[in-house]
Amino acid sequence: QTVVTQEPSFSVSPGGTVTLTCGLSSGSVSTGHYPSWYQQTPGQAPRTLIYYTDTRSSGVPDRFSGSILGNKAALTITGAQADDESDYYCVLYMGSGIDWVFGGGTKLTVL
Amino acid sequence: QVQLQESGPGLVKPSQTLSLTCTVSGGSISSGTYYWSWIRRPAGKGLEWLGRVYTSGDTNYNPSLNSRVTISVDTSKNQFSLKLSSVTAADTAVYYCARGPGGWHWGQGTLVTVSS
């Protein structure tokens, strides 16, 4: 069974840049997996940041960007702010019969 | 702006069936080529996609749920529903409904606890 992999945790300094990745235990992530990224803070519903690899959701600041880097999907946050401290999840479309699979999430600390 | 709201019992006994409804407001559930999904987040764990339904009634489910899940749509009520049978404590989670494709549009979520 294919697993979607994310860094369990990451740390960034205020104002810094961080790139979170989303990979596969077997194979490469491509645009055909329609990677999406979601931000979730405790007690809140997930917020859509990026979908279709690099399309920013309405109202999301342009310091959030999505891409394919090598064999993984990536979420880059430039100019990190304190309120970016959240859990970040990617989800990939794995095709008929499996459909959508989430990564385990990355806990981002801004300090 | 479409809004989604989950509703249903917050406490379910083990071995029983969990039933939740998502009410869509601000637009017709039948308009556009959307699908309607259920996703959950158990305490201390990550998000898990449970399945989706189209307004045609076609469905796709997470195979890891071993056929315990059923998702249906009622266009007359602008609602779609989740049923999860034979629940255990492992099914305790915050359950979200969401609209796709593209960037998913989420409900606020509802906590369901499985306990006797």
Side-chain angles (χ1 to χ4, degrees):
Chain A
Q1 180 180 353
T2 301
V3 174
V4 178
T5 61
Q6 294 185 249
E7 299 87 357
S9 62
F10 229 116
S11 182
V12 63
S13 300
T17 296
V18 62
T19 296
L20 311 182
T21 67
C22 176
L24 291 170
S25 58
S26 176
S28 299
V29 177
S30 71
T31 56
H33 290 100
Y34 305 108
S36 299
W37 291 90
Y38 298 90
Q39 177 192 50
Q40 188 173 34
T41 52
Q44 299 294 315
R47 171 196 183 196
T48 301
L49 296 176
I50 301 288
Y51 60 97
Y52 294 163
T53 305
D54 57 6
T55 301
R56 207 174 293 112
S57 188
S58 177
V60 173
D62 60 7
R63 55 196 186 80
F64 291 90
S65 62
S67 64
I68 298 289
L69 286 180
N71 62 349
K72 297 181 179 182
L75 172 71
T76 299
I77 307 171
T78 58
Q81 300 178 0
D83 61 3
D84 294 335
E85 190 162 289
S86 298
D87 294 329
Y88 291 84
Y89 291 91
C90 70
V91 66
L92 302 178
Y93 179 68
M94 302 302 291
S96 179
I98 305 176
D99 273 57
W100 297 96
V101 180
F102 280 95
T106 297
K107 185 175 185 61
L108 180 67
T109 301
V110 180
L111 52 72
Chain B
Q1 175 79 347
V2 69
Q3 293 187 322
L4 289 75
Q5 180 65 59
E6 306 86 350
S7 61
L11 180 64
V12 181
K13 288 182 167 49
S15 80
Q16 293 191 341
T17 295
L18 179 161
S19 296
L20 295 174
T21 296
C22 182
T23 300
V24 179
S25 59
S28 170
I29 198 170
S30 300
S31 67
T33 53
Y34 297 116
Y35 57 78
W36 306 89
S37 294
W38 286 96
I39 298 133
R40 69 181 180 182
R41 184 174 182 182
K45 296 188 177 181
L47 295 167
E48 179 181 27
W49 180 82
L50 303 181
R52 62 176 168 180
V53 64
Y54 293 83
T55 50
S56 64
D58 290 342
T59 54
N60 302 100
Y61 299 128
N62 186 331
S64 71
L65 294 171
N66 296 323
S67 302
R68 294 194 295 130
V69 63
T70 302
I71 299 174
S72 59
V73 62
D74 187 336
T75 55
S76 67
K77 294 182 179 179
N78 235 33
Q79 296 175 336
F80 64 106
S81 299
L82 168 73
K83 291 188 186 303
L84 184 65
S85 63
S86 305
V87 297
T88 69
D91 295 308
T92 294
V94 177
Y95 286 77
Y96 299 96
C97 58
R99 185 193 74 179
W104 290 342
H105 188 81
W106 301 71
Q108 283 302 302
T110 187
L111 174 63
V112 178
T113 301
V114 178
S115 175
S116 56

